[in-house]
Amino acid sequence: GVSDEDIGEVSELLIDESGQIDRAVIDVGGFLGMGEHSIAVPLNELQIVREDEGDDLRVYIESSQEALEAQPEYEG
């Protein structure tokens, strides 16, 4: 999130007709997997960062958890 808080998890990557990654499905809200809200976010809204050393991969979005939860739910 905007203040480096953990607001969800990327659960899927969606591919368009040309075979390119188009959107990421993010699960936001809920507790221990219950009550999560899944939304599809265009890939260009995400910043993907990998540490120089190690396997830690983080995805950042300039949005709050409340704003993401207000988006329509992705029905895949």
Side-chain angles (χ1 to χ4, degrees), residues 13-67:
L13 297 175
L14 304 176
I15 299 173
D16 64 15
E17 296 83 27
S18 67
Q20 300 296 313
I21 297 174
D22 179 46
R23 296 174 291 158
V25 176
I26 301 175
D27 299 329
V28 294
F31 181 72
L32 297 175
M34 304 280 287
E36 288 181 332
H37 180 79
S38 298
I39 59 167
V41 177
L43 201 59
N44 63 358
E45 292 184 18
L46 303 175
Q47 179 183 11
I48 302 169
V49 177
R50 184 175 185 170
E51 290 185 6
D52 290 335
E53 296 180 23
D55 295 328
D56 191 25
L57 183 69
R58 295 178 182 250
V59 179
Y60 293 92
I61 187 168
E62 291 192 31
S63 186
S64 68
Q65 182 170 346
E66 293 80 17

